[in-house]
Structure formats: structure tokens, C-alpha cells
Amino acid sequence: MTKPRLYDWESNLKINIMIMRLIGLWPDGDGTYRPGFYLTYSATVLTLVACHLLSEIVSIYFVRDDLEKVAEAIYIVLTEISTAVKTAFVIIKIRFIKSCIANLKNDQLLQPKNQDQVIMIQSSIAIWKFVYTSFIVGCFGVNLFWMITSMNFEEKYALPFLAWYPYNSKRSPQYEVTYAFQMGCTCFLTLSALCVDALICVFNVYVGCQFEFLSDNLRSFASSEDRNGSEAGKKLVRCIAHHKEILRYVLLCAKFNENIVIVYTRDTCNATELSV
């Protein structure tokens, strides 16, 4: 069994990273937003999304006498705010996220020891890629279908979302621009939620891969003929060190995952209670 090159864990996240970079959530380098074009681009995108949320919040005041519209608007707004909070948390923790991925590549204990171990985890990685790709296709399909069905031909100049704007959105070309603006912000929030959830899933998959490596190392140690020799002692010590490193990495990932899940659960519960 030949020792493989350093396994590039980040390569499995190419699509996720590409989407996050497209929507302004993945700066180059260690994760710091430095002055330049990408910072300007990210700030512009996030400002537009914030304006979209603000316009929906303000619109609640103008329909306050219609309980059905108020409940519907609050549910939508809180759902979008939960995604926006998750996005903000990722922006704040982007350096931490990148360090979690870099640790897998740079830490020798977390690298596969041979090509057999690389092959061993391919099924887990393949399942995650299939599920993630299915979600991407599904989300794009749902958004496309929603964009088409949101066109209310019976009511002229109807927008997908109830929102207030400091101009007359029921006149062309303001209506078309506003319609495209709402669709663009919705697509951003959808992709952002998808990418954040994908990061949570892939960290869990990577932790599972590490335990597969450890189990394989222990099986190799148990079946080796030199269990009483000095080399066996080194292998056992290395397995113990690997286990400690896995636990340390689990705590790092859990720190990120729990915060995201708590934010999402709390905001979703609030939205559900208000809608009821």
C-alpha cells in the first residue's frame, strides 16, 4: 500500500465554494474581507438583501388592519430573517470555517494513511455529493417554478412579496425592476441557506471519515504480527493521538453547527407561533 498525496478535503466542496463565492460569501485567502472589488461586491449584494427585508418589514405597518396579510407577511419575513442571520454568522465566522477545512489538509493525523483509506471514504463522500447536488437541482427547479407561478396575470402589477417602496412599483419599468429585485434577493437567500446547511453536513461527513480511518488503523494494528514490538507501541500511541485530534475537531465543528442550528430553530419556532 503506497502512501497517497495529501488528500484535498476542500476539493469536495468545489460547487459549494463556487456558489458562496458567487453570492459574496467566500473571500480569497484566510477569510478576511480586504478592501477591493470583492468586498464592494459583497457589501452591495448584502445591502440589497437588507433593503428587501426592510421593505417587507415596513409593509406590515400598511396592512396592519388585515390580520391574514399580517400573519402571512410576518411568517415570510421571519423565515427570511432566520436565513439572513445564518448568512451573517457565516460571514463573521468565515475565517473559522476555512481554518476547519485547512486543518484537515495540514494535520498529518487527520490525513488518510494509504490509498485504501482514500477509497474507503469515497462512498460517504459520493452520497453527500449526490444529496447536495439533488438539493441544488431541486432548489433551482422550485425557484424557477415559483418565479413563473408568481406572475399573477389576473391582477396587474402584482409582486411576489408584499413590500413597501418609496416609489410607485405599479408602473412600468419600476414594476419589472422591482419584480427582478425581489426574485434576485429570494435566490440569494435560498442559495445562502443551501450552502450553510451543506457546510454543516459535510463537517459531519468528514468527522465520520476520520472515525473510519481510526477504525482501519486499529484493525491493522490488531492484525499486525509485531504487536509486542516497539513499532506496535508507536502505532498505538499514534492511534490515541488521532482519537484525541478527532475529538478536538468534533468540538470545533460542533461549535459552528450548534450556533447555526440554534439560530435557525429559534427563528423558525417564532415564525410558526406567530403564523398560528
Side-chain angles (χ1 to χ4, degrees), residues 43-98:
T44 302
V45 171
L46 294 173
T47 300
L48 291 175
V49 174
C51 291
H52 170 66
L53 293 174
L54 182 61
S55 66
E56 290 185 311
I57 293 173
V58 173
S59 68
I60 296 175
Y61 172 80
F62 295 98
V63 296
R64 61 187 184 277
D65 295 330
D66 190 331
L67 184 59
E68 184 177 349
K69 286 186 177 181
V70 169
E72 180 181 352
I74 289 178
Y75 178 79
I76 293 174
V77 168
L78 288 181
T79 301
E80 292 181 338
I81 287 177
S82 68
T83 302
V85 171
K86 290 167 64 176
T87 302
F89 184 80
V90 169
I91 293 174
I92 295 172
K93 294 290 185 179
I94 188 65
R95 179 181 291 185
F96 174 78
I97 295 170
K98 286 195 171 189

Side-chain angles (χ1 to χ4, degrees), residues 240-260:
I240 295 173
H242 185 198
H243 183 257
K244 289 183 178 180
E245 192 66 18
I246 293 174
L247 295 180
R248 185 189 69 83
Y249 191 76
V250 168
L251 292 176
L252 283 177
C253 295
K255 185 178 180 182
F256 169 72
N257 296 351
E258 287 175 0
N259 288 329
I260 292 292

Side-chain angles (χ1 to χ4, degrees), residues 80-272:
E80 292 181 338
I81 287 177
S82 68
T83 302
V85 171
K86 290 167 64 176
T87 302
F89 184 80
V90 169
I91 293 174
I92 295 172
K93 294 290 185 179
I94 188 65
R95 179 181 291 185
F96 174 78
I97 295 170
K98 286 195 171 189
S99 67
C100 286
I101 298 174
N103 283 345
L104 286 169
K105 182 176 180 179
N106 299 329
D107 195 327
Q108 292 294 331
L109 289 173
L110 300 179
Q111 283 287 323
K113 303 302 181 291
N114 50 62
Q115 192 62 34
D116 289 344
Q117 290 190 349
V118 175
I119 297 174
M120 182 192 308
I121 64 172
Q122 290 307 306
S123 59
S124 299
I125 300 296
I127 291 173
W128 174 82
K129 285 184 177 180
F130 173 76
V131 172
Y132 176 56
T133 304
S134 300
F135 270 101
I136 292 178
V137 174
C139 285
F140 271 109
V142 169
N143 274 279
L144 180 61
F145 179 77
W146 174 73
M147 288 178 185
I148 296 173
T149 56
S150 294
M151 298 179 182
N152 190 341
F153 296 102
E154 296 180 359
E155 182 182 349
K156 194 175 182 180
Y157 297 124
L159 292 170
F161 294 102
L162 181 65
W164 175 87
Y165 298 100
Y167 57 85
N168 186 4
S169 61
K170 296 185 178 298
R171 188 173 61 183
S172 185
Q174 292 93 318
Y175 168 74
E176 288 78 10
V177 173
T178 305
Y179 196 101
F181 170 71
Q182 289 192 353
M183 291 297 183
C185 291
T186 303
C187 288
F188 170 88
L189 292 170
T190 301
L191 291 174
S192 176
L194 179 64
C195 290
V196 174
D197 293 342
L199 285 175
I200 295 175
C201 293
V202 80
F203 284 151
N204 291 332
V205 171
Y206 284 171
V207 169
C209 291
Q210 291 301 320
F211 280 112
E212 287 189 45
F213 292 161
L214 180 59
S215 297
D216 184 66
N217 294 334
L218 289 172
R219 284 193 298 267
S220 299
F221 167 76
S223 62
S224 62
E225 298 178 356
D226 58 343
R227 281 174 294 181
N228 297 324
S230 59
E231 188 65 25
K234 292 180 181 179
K235 289 182 179 180
L236 181 59
V237 170
R238 189 174 181 83
C239 288
I240 295 173
H242 185 198
H243 183 257
K244 289 183 178 180
E245 192 66 18
I246 293 174
L247 295 180
R248 185 189 69 83
Y249 191 76
V250 168
L251 292 176
L252 283 177
C253 295
K255 185 178 180 182
F256 169 72
N257 296 351
E258 287 175 0
N259 288 329
I260 292 292
V261 171
I262 289 172
V263 167
Y264 180 77
T265 304
R266 183 191 300 122
D267 290 345
T268 303
C269 289
N270 290 339
T272 304

